[in-house]
Amino acid sequence: MNLLILCRFCSLISFSFSSHILGAIMYFTPRGKNPDDTFRVDYWVKESFTNGCHSELHLRCFKGTCGENVHYEFGKIDDDILGNWCQAEGYMSFDVTTDKPFVLRATNCCWVNNSANANWWQLLTYVDLGTRSDTRSSNRSPTTTILPEIRAPQNCPTTYNLLAHDPDGDHVRCRYGLKSNSECVACSQHPGFYLDQGTCTLLFSESLWLVYVFEIVLEDFPREDINLTYTDGTSSNRTPQQSSPLSKIPLQFVFKELMCGECSGALWLPSHHPGGAAHWWWWRRVPIACKSALSGVSRKALYKFNPPVPSCEFGEFRPQFLLPTPPRGAFREATVGREFQLAVAAQANLSVVYDIKVSGPLNITKTFHYNGTSKIGQIIAKWTPQDNDVGLHVPMCFIAETRDGYQSDLRCIVVLVGTAATQTRQAEVVCSESTMSVFVDKSSIHEVDENNLRLNDPSCKVTSNKSHFIASVSLNSCGTELEEMENSLVFKNEITSFDAPHNVITRGNVLEIPFSCSFPKTFLTSGSFTVHKTVDTFTSSGSGRFTYVFEFYNSSAFTELIKPSTYPVKAEQGEMLYVSIQVRSSLNTTQLFVESCRATPHDDPDDPIYYDIIKNGCKIDETLVVYPSNQTVYRFGMKAFNFIGEYNQVYINCVVILCLAGNPNTRCAQGCINSTSSSLQLGLSHLNRRSLGIQTERHYISQGPVQINRNLTDNSDLAVNVNVNTVVVAGAVLGTTAMVCGAVIYKTRRAIRYDLLQ
């Protein structure tokens, strides 16, 4: 019996003896006044079950005047392709006659079996519709979501960043529920876990082989003292000191023990207690012929734990996210009536990614494809916001999973929904063939010192006139980032505010204005963009000012360099590439040492996908040829190659050191050091003790891309190509007639506004 079948068998046995609820989450958004002076409040409740998607959570008034349910929708979000779970969402609108605080409750049976013998559960949501003095509107609760099943191997301490985003910019705290507040049933805190309440981070350190119920409450607190006023003339105060929250929403989950022990040859099943104990079940060890298996843990979102894994490193057994997957906590924009797409890619070199699961809004869909050659699984999730979604901050979480049940880290983003009409008011982005400029209406930004605005590169400041803040940057300066999409190239930068030029933290309001230009991958007749990198200049106390020049040449004679205007460099597989690294310095006593070089498919020296060419001063690539050089020039060649998978470009990244020529105590003098020998450690230790006067620090330099024309002899089983490269397609010439302006998103800690420029 193979691992997958066995674990499915264990899961089915477990669920047949236990209850079926695997997860539930709830949050809300006030919608203002109706024509009859009642208040409208919208609620979203996610439900997850082991026995298919259906609705069991019904909101009822627990305290105060909660209003009347006037609208209801329900639908599936995602399910497990093995049939282990299904997650759905219910959307409800209530009309409330008062803006005074009230509490809603949803309660039902039954939890999966757990160590606290908790059977019934309840979700409590605290709502206060008083008008805030800072935003002049009612408070919106934090938004959150989670996948029904989250797994971590027993031997891999894991950190889970729970999504806790607040649309009003308030601080969110996550804490355990209190029995005195009727927020929980079991109300337990468990060893082996630590909940950081301020950051909503859950840290797992060890598996204790038991089933635990977690009942967590998310609360939001203002970042300054505010008042809430009500239509009856009364008011109340809220402070940042976390004495009384603005709202409370529930997030509950279960931690479940391994049902099939690792190499134990036994299966643990719930059973009636033989001694007639008060509780009807206990755990009974049943011998079976199994080597290892997976098991369950739920989480009103559900946590599962796998047997120990040989390596905890993401990208090996556990999937690792790749581009174009958005980073954790990213903001994305969506427009009513237009299809929003989320692209996610993950790779596990020692396993097979069989699905990428998504927890998002109602009516979201996805398609999954797997490339057996590159071992990359990819999804495109699609969702079209409707009129009722305007102004929402929609949470989305996703996680990749292998056939063996191992999962990637949990990653979540927030999607801001607007309309085409509202997204043309307050700023304008102008895209040209080599620059992008953003003009922000000053009237739309308050309490911001124009002298304290900068771009991604802190040295690039923002200018202004009487009516607008203005930022204009070239496509490869001021920290502009390049992201390659399937049919376009997107250049991104951001205006941010700061308290002082060199601060790394702030306690004031933070303004963030991301802006971008999108160019189609087409061949037009005017304008161009080159990705050739300029020289890298550094300064050292012992070596003065020096510059590294990294170039590709046409031949081993190194007399004719490849012109920057023709980049990317083009080559056939197996064709020789000729590389030259030179240092230019006013001192004639310097010596260049190339300590390492590696190739990557993206313009990132820390890319998890790489190929070593030179390492610790030693030749690694078998085709590498070192040509005659001198103490300030290093020339080498190698045969061109492709990375396996959907990669068609290569970057060369090198680590270089500049030393005092002839000094035997430098890293340059050591040359090649075998990485497996103790001499490497001794050498590095000795290097750290040397005076910086005889050598510089290590510097990273890179050049590219090189576009390799691959010889296609295999048939890819990836039906949809979602490129994960972040470089320019070879020969792409970008004309102003085909340029598209991207999103401008305003974020402050008080509120978030969004503007899409046509």
Side-chain angles (χ1 to χ4, degrees), residues 415-432:
V415 180
L416 313 177
V417 182
T419 66
T422 61
Q423 291 171 342
T424 58
R425 284 196 313 240
Q426 301 173 347
E428 179 183 3
V429 177
V430 177
C431 303
S432 75

Side-chain angles (χ1 to χ4, degrees), residues 362-477:
L362 198 64
N363 299 319
I364 192 171
T365 63
K366 74 173 186 183
T367 55
F368 173 79
H369 301 281
Y370 182 72
N371 187 323
T373 303
S374 65
K375 303 186 78 67
I376 295 176
Q378 305 184 57
I379 66 162
I380 297 291
K382 299 179 180 180
W383 173 58
T384 302
Q386 304 302 312
D387 289 338
N388 192 61
D389 299 316
V390 172
L392 294 184
H393 294 215
V394 178
M396 288 190 185
C397 291
F398 43 91
I399 202 163
E401 186 169 320
T402 70
R403 275 185 193 161
D404 301 321
Y406 297 116
Q407 291 185 336
S408 66
D409 66 312
L410 172 67
R411 193 169 292 192
C412 301
I413 66 170
V414 176
V415 180
L416 313 177
V417 182
T419 66
T422 61
Q423 291 171 342
T424 58
R425 284 196 313 240
Q426 301 173 347
E428 179 183 3
V429 177
V430 177
C431 303
S432 75
E433 60 199 43
S434 60
T435 63
M436 57 181 177
S437 303
V438 60
F439 302 85
V440 183
D441 191 335
K442 286 185 176 180
S443 64
S444 65
I445 302 177
H446 304 285
E447 301 177 6
V448 174
D449 185 346
E450 63 188 62
N451 296 315
N452 286 1
L453 296 176
R454 69 188 185 194
L455 297 170
N456 281 348
D457 183 343
S459 65
C460 296
K461 299 299 189 294
V462 176
T463 61
S464 68
N465 57 26
K466 291 183 178 180
S467 60
H468 288 81
F469 297 114
I470 304 169
S472 182
V473 298
S474 67
L475 299 182
N476 56 359
S477 70

Side-chain angles (χ1 to χ4, degrees), residues 206 222 302 555:
E206 60 180 345
L302 174 74
S555 71

Side-chain angles (χ1 to χ4, degrees), residues 86-107:
C86 184
Q87 185 180 66
E89 182 174 80
Y91 160 66
M92 292 155 279
S93 284
F94 276 58
D95 286 347
V96 187
T97 57
T98 176
D99 57 357
K100 301 292 282 188
F102 59 87
V103 180
L104 280 167
R105 180 175 71 167
T107 183

Side-chain angles (χ1 to χ4, degrees), residues 210-230:
L210 293 171
V211 181
Y212 297 117
V213 171
F214 283 81
E215 297 161 299
I216 291 178
V217 175
L218 274 62
E219 300 174 318
D220 56 334
F221 299 86
R223 297 185 181 273
E224 60 186 29
D225 290 354
I226 66 170
N227 288 318
L228 298 177
T229 57
Y230 306 97

Side-chain angles (χ1 to χ4, degrees), residues 115-400:
S115 61
N117 299 316
N119 194 7
W120 286 82
W121 51 267
Q122 63 180 1
L123 302 176
L124 247 63
T125 300
Y126 173 83
V127 184
D128 191 330
L129 299 180
T131 300
R132 297 174 55 138
S133 59
D134 55 346
T135 65
R136 303 319 243 169
S137 59
S138 298
N139 181 68
R140 295 174 287 182
S141 78
T143 59
T144 187
T145 190
I146 198 72
L147 276 301
E149 275 188 4
I150 294 184
R151 296 173 177 156
Q154 299 171 9
N155 57 320
C156 298
T158 305
T159 299
Y160 297 103
N161 295 280
L162 307 179
L163 179 61
H165 167 72
D166 190 87
D168 297 317
D170 298 324
H171 174 69
V172 181
R173 181 182 68 169
C174 300
R175 61 170 176 81
Y176 291 101
L178 300 175
K179 188 178 288 289
S180 58
N181 292 344
S182 301
E183 297 167 340
C184 52
V185 177
C187 303
S188 303
Q189 301 183 28
H190 313 295
F193 289 90
Y194 170 73
L195 177 64
D196 187 323
Q197 298 187 15
T199 62
C200 292
T201 302
L202 184 67
L203 296 93
F204 158 71
S205 60
E206 60 180 345
S207 171
L208 301 182
W209 299 77
L210 293 171
V211 181
Y212 297 117
V213 171
F214 283 81
E215 297 161 299
I216 291 178
V217 175
L218 274 62
E219 300 174 318
D220 56 334
F221 299 86
R223 297 185 181 273
E224 60 186 29
D225 290 354
I226 66 170
N227 288 318
L228 298 177
T229 57
Y230 306 97
T231 53
D232 65 359
T234 60
S235 65
S236 62
N237 178 258
R238 296 292 187 275
T239 70
Q241 282 70 42
Q242 301 184 347
S243 57
S244 181
L246 292 160
S247 66
K248 301 179 185 180
I249 63 169
L251 174 64
Q252 300 183 357
F253 56 91
V254 170
F255 175 92
K256 193 173 184 181
E257 74 169 324
L258 287 170
M259 301 302 292
C260 291
E262 182 212 7
C263 301
S264 64
L267 176 67
W268 289 85
L269 298 177
S271 175
H272 289 284
H273 197 286
H279 303 299
W280 74 270
W281 60 270
W282 68 313
W283 292 107
R284 179 168 58 94
R285 188 174 185 271
V286 180
I288 63 170
C290 70
K291 293 184 178 180
S292 64
L294 311 181
S295 75
V297 179
S298 83
R299 180 177 186 146
K300 238 171 181 253
L302 174 74
Y303 274 98
K304 280 195 174 182
F305 278 85
N306 303 332
V309 64
S311 170
C312 294
E313 193 74 22
F314 287 107
E316 296 183 357
F317 293 93
R318 307 170 78 185
Q320 179 181 46
F321 285 124
L322 306 174
L323 291 172
T325 307
R328 184 177 66 244
F331 289 90
R332 292 291 185 265
E333 58 85 23
T335 305
V336 169
R338 298 178 185 172
E339 184 179 81
F340 170 83
Q341 292 192 5
L342 170 67
V344 179
Q347 181 184 52
N349 288 316
L350 301 179
S351 190
V352 175
V353 177
Y354 89 98
D355 197 12
I356 299 176
K357 306 176 189 304
V358 178
S359 178
L362 198 64
N363 299 319
I364 192 171
T365 63
K366 74 173 186 183
T367 55
F368 173 79
H369 301 281
Y370 182 72
N371 187 323
T373 303
S374 65
K375 303 186 78 67
I376 295 176
Q378 305 184 57
I379 66 162
I380 297 291
K382 299 179 180 180
W383 173 58
T384 302
Q386 304 302 312
D387 289 338
N388 192 61
D389 299 316
V390 172
L392 294 184
H393 294 215
V394 178
M396 288 190 185
C397 291
F398 43 91
I399 202 163

